[in-house]
């Protein structure tokens, strides 16, 4: 947990479900805030299992041959610090900025999927460092929207500064926490949801508690895969992702095989060189935001291992094609394949 104290307007650092087996066969799927000031949308929880319109940002094709469907960017953008010493959550910030004035459910789901990685900041009344040292319970900054109370969260230092400038309360602290901890706080606490960057025009949104609860039910508690894909890529990244796949549940995108009314298959990426990579997803939201007529089917590591062992023609997997994504060959997947050895 990173902890920062703020004394003036400038922010500075101070410190299972049982599932049917699915054969890996490509189906070629193609402070105080007024409610009116913040983009919000009612989300049906059934949306996760239904096709959604394709996200607005233009995707970039995965290299290495012909692709049936374009993908998002392979790597996360470079880290930024809008306030020196306070790293921004760039993926969440980009998703916020891309929200239209009247967001559709697909827009909110795109934002929610990017919230499953990294860190955010919260404001704490008083000196958080001193309160922690004394064993006191921290009082988080919240906002009232009608009769509901929403936890305030921030993507970076500039959003924190804007919040302080808006309410004038300089006797607060800024505390960086993993997103997983903040979302659990929303689910377990007396909140109707949380508001991101509430004082930053053009980059703010309300996320209702029901959406957070649903997302957390399907999420790896540590957001392992998402954090790996969002982080800086090194020579060790493929092995780390392969190891994570050996311990973490994933999803595949199941759909009808063209020309066969009753047969189902799961989506692959096929290259002009004959390579075949099974698409796997860290969360069902990652399937939904592709905007295809697919259903997210969970796979345990053992089921994924059996699929890879049963089809030696599979070159490997592509994880989270909407981006950031990574393509792994069978050597990187050795920990997964070993589960059926």
């Amino acid at each position: 947990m990173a902890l920062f104290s703020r004394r003036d307007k400038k922010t500075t650092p101070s410190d299972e479900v049982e599932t049917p087996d699915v054969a890996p066969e490509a189906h070629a799927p193609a402070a105080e805030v007024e409610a009116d000031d913040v983009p919000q949308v009612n989300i049906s929880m059934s949306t996760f299992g239904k096709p959604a319109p394709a996200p607005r940002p233009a995707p970039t094709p995965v290299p290495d041959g012909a692709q049936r469907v374009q993908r998002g960017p392979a790597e996360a953008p470079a880290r930024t610090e809008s306030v020196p010493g306070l790293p921004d959550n760039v993926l969440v910030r980009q998703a916020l900025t891309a929200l239209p004035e009247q967001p559709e459910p697909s827009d909110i789901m795109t934002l929610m999927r990017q919230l499953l990685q990294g860190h955010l900041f919260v404001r704490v009344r008083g000196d958080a460092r001193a309160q922690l040292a004394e064993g006191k319970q921290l009082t988080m900054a919240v906002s009232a929207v009608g009769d509901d109370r929403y936890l305030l969260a921030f993507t970076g230092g500039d959003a924190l500064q804007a919040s302080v400038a808006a309410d004038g309360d300089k006797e607060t602290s800024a505390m960086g926490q993993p997103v997983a901890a903040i979302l659990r706080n929303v689910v377990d606490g007396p909140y109707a949801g949380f508001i991101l960057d509430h004082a930053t025009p053009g980059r703010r949104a309300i996320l209702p508690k029901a959406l957070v609860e649903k997302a957390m039910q399907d999420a790896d508690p540590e957001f392992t895969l998402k954090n790996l894909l969002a982080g800086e890529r090194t020579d060790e990244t493929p092995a780390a992702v392969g190891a994570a796949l050996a311990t973490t549940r994933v999803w595949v995108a199941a759909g009808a095989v063209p020309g066969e009314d009753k047969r189902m298959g799961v989506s692959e990426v096929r290259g002009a060189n004959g390579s075949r990579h099974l698409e796997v997803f860290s969360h069902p939201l990652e399937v939904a935001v592709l905007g295809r007529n697919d259903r997210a089917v969970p796979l345990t590591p053992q089921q994924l291992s059996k699929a890879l062992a049963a089809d030696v023609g599979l070159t490997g997997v592509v994880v989270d094609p909407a981006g950031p994504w990574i393509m792994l060959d069978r050597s990187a997947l050795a920990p997964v394949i070993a589960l059926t050895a």
Side-chain angles (χ1 to χ4, degrees):
M1 179 180 68
L3 186 63
F4 304 93
S5 294
R6 173 178 309 199
R7 293 307 181 195
D8 52 32
K9 183 176 179 180
K10 182 178 180 181
T11 306
T12 55
S14 69
D15 278 65
E16 162 166 343
V17 319
E18 184 177 351
T19 62
D21 289 331
V22 182
E25 180 174 352
H27 64 278
E32 198 75 15
V33 180
E34 294 295 331
D36 291 341
D37 291 340
V38 184
Q40 55 186 311
V41 63
N42 292 325
I43 299 290
S44 168
M45 291 303 101
S46 64
T47 305
F48 280 28
K50 296 181 180 179
R56 287 174 172 75
T60 302
V62 171
D64 185 35
Q67 301 297 325
R68 289 186 168 88
V69 181
Q70 289 187 321
R71 310 297 172 191
E75 298 186 27
R79 167 175 160 168
T80 65
E81 294 182 357
S82 54
V83 170
L86 301 182
D88 304 317
N89 191 319
V90 182
L91 287 172
V92 176
R93 173 168 294 187
Q94 286 187 344
L96 277 172
T97 303
L99 284 177
E101 185 174 350
Q102 297 296 326
E104 298 292 333
S106 59
D107 299 307
I108 300 301
M109 288 192 295
T110 296
L111 171 60
M112 189 70 234
R113 84 174 182 94
Q114 295 293 26
L115 277 162
L116 303 180
Q117 56 77 33
H119 72 280
L120 292 172
F121 297 94
V122 293
R123 287 179 64 186
V124 178
R125 294 188 180 278
D127 189 329
R129 182 183 297 280
Q131 293 175 42
L132 286 173
E134 296 171 9
K136 294 182 178 179
Q137 185 173 357
L138 300 179
T139 303
M140 305 293 185
V142 300
S143 178
V145 179
D147 295 330
D148 294 324
R149 290 164 63 81
Y150 290 80
L151 183 69
L152 298 181
F154 306 89
T155 59
D158 61 340
L160 285 161
Q161 288 184 332
S163 180
V164 172
D167 59 33
D169 184 3
K170 298 180 181 180
E171 295 303 315
T172 62
S173 303
M175 184 169 65
Q177 289 190 311
V179 171
I182 293 176
L183 297 185
R184 282 194 294 266
N185 196 4
V186 171
V187 171
D188 297 337
Y191 307 113
F194 71 107
I195 304 177
L196 279 167
D197 292 359
H198 76 99
T200 309
R203 199 184 77 209
R204 53 189 178 191
I206 289 181
L207 283 299
K209 186 170 189 170
L211 176 61
V212 178
E213 287 177 326
K214 174 60 178 174
M216 292 295 283
Q217 287 172 9
D218 292 323
D220 162 26
E222 303 302 324
F223 298 175
T224 306
L225 287 172
K226 288 285 286 184
N227 282 323
L228 285 170
L229 297 183
E232 181 181 357
R233 300 296 170 91
T234 69
D235 292 342
E236 289 72 40
T237 301
V241 175
L245 289 172
T247 61
T248 305
R249 178 179 62 169
V250 294
W251 279 257
V252 291
V257 177
E260 302 186 35
D261 294 339
K262 297 181 179 180
R263 194 174 184 187
M264 299 289 287
V266 297
S267 60
E268 296 179 356
V269 173
R270 296 188 176 185
N273 61 358
S275 64
R276 295 171 52 219
H277 288 79
L278 179 67
E279 290 186 328
V280 299
F281 304 84
S282 62
H283 194 280
L285 279 169
E286 297 291 333
V287 179
V289 300
L290 290 177
R292 310 184 310 208
N293 191 20
D294 292 339
R295 179 169 60 93
V297 178
L299 289 186
T300 65
Q302 291 75 18
Q303 288 173 314
L304 177 59
S305 178
K306 289 178 181 178
L308 291 167
D311 189 347
V312 296
L314 277 173
T315 310
V317 301
V318 176
V319 186
D320 284 357
W325 54 265
I326 192 169
M327 186 174 284
L328 302 180
D329 59 21
R330 295 182 78 93
S331 63
L333 295 167
V336 181
I337 298 172
L339 295 176
T340 59

